[in-house]
Amino acid sequence: AGWFRRLLHKPKSSSVESLKSSHSASSSPSSSSSAKSSSSSPGTSLATSSMPLSPVSTPDISASDSPRWDKSYDVCICHSEGDMELVEELVSYLEGQPESFRCFLQLRDAVAGSAVVTELCDAVQNSHCWVMLITPGFLQDPWCRYQMHQALAEAPMANGRTIPVLKDVDRKDYPRELRNIYYIYMALKEKSFRQIRDTVMRYLQELCRSSAKRME
């Protein structure tokens, strides 16, 4: 009986205390979930302990020192005469954007009395981007193909300057000279206009970034 009473009054061991504390900790959802997340997802703890990344600044293409102003036009529209109505809508859309894109439209901007070849070559050289509105009329117009070849000679790599836009043309009739360049298929006019605008914008922003890096 004496040894039984001593056993009842014996202080609790540390193992029992640790078991009790671990049990109370496991009963707390917040502590268990945090322990699980820190052990199973090391990337989370690393991300929270690291400094937040600063957002990438977007170049201001309209700044006074922007390389955008090195050329007379942002976009040269190459098209057949039969597509004039659609092209006028596109030019109106681009020029009406907040960036006020400068468009070369041959029938509007060509100098009276100058040679056609001279005007086409000057338009290509003095523009950052070239939109090729490839329609059945485009494929049959030798001047359109000439301007296309001039643009490819100016920038043969697919760097965003040449923007082919297909309308009412099968993929098999897509000019072989442009096969290494992705095109915009004009099914919905409004969507295609936005894609053209975004492509021009992307090129001008990249142009500004490259210019800024060279000056650093």
Side-chain angles (χ1 to χ4, degrees), residues 2 14 29 32 74 77 86 95 107 109 114 120 127 132-134 154 174 189 191 208-209:
S14 58
S32 62
D74 299 314
I77 313 293
L86 176 61
E95 293 181 342
L107 295 181
D109 300 317
S114 62
L120 294 180
S127 300
M132 305 287 168
L133 183 58
I134 303 173
E154 187 79 12
Y174 186 53
K189 182 171 57 179
K191 180 180 179 181
C208 291
R209 289 193 189 97

Side-chain angles (χ1 to χ4, degrees), residues 142-163:
W143 289 115
C144 289
R145 300 193 70 90
Y146 177 82
Q147 198 169 20
M148 177 183 69
H149 291 148
Q150 290 298 315
L152 292 174
E154 187 79 12
M157 302 302 292
N159 60 352
R161 297 187 69 183
T162 302
I163 308 171

Side-chain angles (χ1 to χ4, degrees), residues 93-123:
Y93 172 83
L94 293 175
E95 293 181 342
Q97 294 300 301
E99 298 80 17
S100 299
F101 293 111
R102 302 162 300 158
C103 300
F104 177 85
L105 190 58
Q106 183 180 352
L107 295 181
R108 181 192 66 181
D109 300 317
V111 178
S114 62
V116 175
V117 174
T118 302
E119 285 296 311
L120 294 180
C121 290
D122 288 347

Side-chain angles (χ1 to χ4, degrees), residues 32-170:
S32 62
S33 61
S34 61
K36 181 178 180 181
S37 62
S38 62
S39 62
S40 64
S41 180
T44 303
S45 59
L46 179 63
T48 54
S49 62
S50 61
M51 293 297 291
L53 298 175
S54 58
V56 178
S57 59
T58 302
D60 181 9
I61 65 171
S62 299
S64 58
D65 59 346
S66 171
R68 174 189 181 185
W69 310 119
D70 293 344
K71 292 184 180 293
S72 303
Y73 301 99
D74 299 314
V75 189
C76 173
I77 313 293
C78 180
H79 63 94
S80 69
E81 189 172 348
D83 299 315
M84 190 64 194
E85 183 177 349
L86 176 61
V87 172
E88 287 178 338
E89 289 185 55
L90 173 60
V91 169
S92 178
Y93 172 83
L94 293 175
E95 293 181 342
Q97 294 300 301
E99 298 80 17
S100 299
F101 293 111
R102 302 162 300 158
C103 300
F104 177 85
L105 190 58
Q106 183 180 352
L107 295 181
R108 181 192 66 181
D109 300 317
V111 178
S114 62
V116 175
V117 174
T118 302
E119 285 296 311
L120 294 180
C121 290
D122 288 347
V124 169
Q125 293 175 357
N126 292 323
S127 300
H128 287 293
C129 298
W130 313 292
V131 172
M132 305 287 168
L133 183 58
I134 303 173
T135 63
F138 180 101
L139 298 176
Q140 297 173 7
D141 191 332
W143 289 115
C144 289
R145 300 193 70 90
Y146 177 82
Q147 198 169 20
M148 177 183 69
H149 291 148
Q150 290 298 315
L152 292 174
E154 187 79 12
M157 302 302 292
N159 60 352
R161 297 187 69 183
T162 302
I163 308 171
V165 180
L166 266 66
K167 185 178 185 300
D168 301 330
V169 171
D170 292 334

Side-chain angles (χ1 to χ4, degrees), residues 151-214:
L152 292 174
E154 187 79 12
M157 302 302 292
N159 60 352
R161 297 187 69 183
T162 302
I163 308 171
V165 180
L166 266 66
K167 185 178 185 300
D168 301 330
V169 171
D170 292 334
R171 190 176 186 278
K172 63 181 178 61
D173 296 323
Y174 186 53
R176 290 179 296 174
E177 299 92 331
L178 302 174
R179 290 291 167 87
N180 66 322
I181 303 176
Y182 285 113
Y183 58 84
I184 296 171
Y185 188 80
M186 185 176 288
L188 296 175
K189 182 171 57 179
E190 293 78 8
K191 180 180 179 181
S192 299
F193 283 7
R194 286 196 302 270
Q195 288 178 301
I196 295 170
R197 180 260 178 196
D198 292 345
T199 305
V200 175
M201 188 72 175
R202 191 180 307 116
Y203 174 79
L204 293 177
Q205 288 177 344
E206 185 58 35
L207 180 68
C208 291
R209 289 193 189 97
S210 300
S211 178
K213 289 180 180 179
R214 288 194 299 267

Side-chain angles (χ1 to χ4, degrees), residues 10-25:
K10 187 176 181 180
K12 296 178 181 179
S13 64
S14 58
S15 61
V16 174
E17 291 293 340
S18 61
L19 178 62
K20 182 178 180 181
S21 61
S22 63
H23 174 72
S24 61

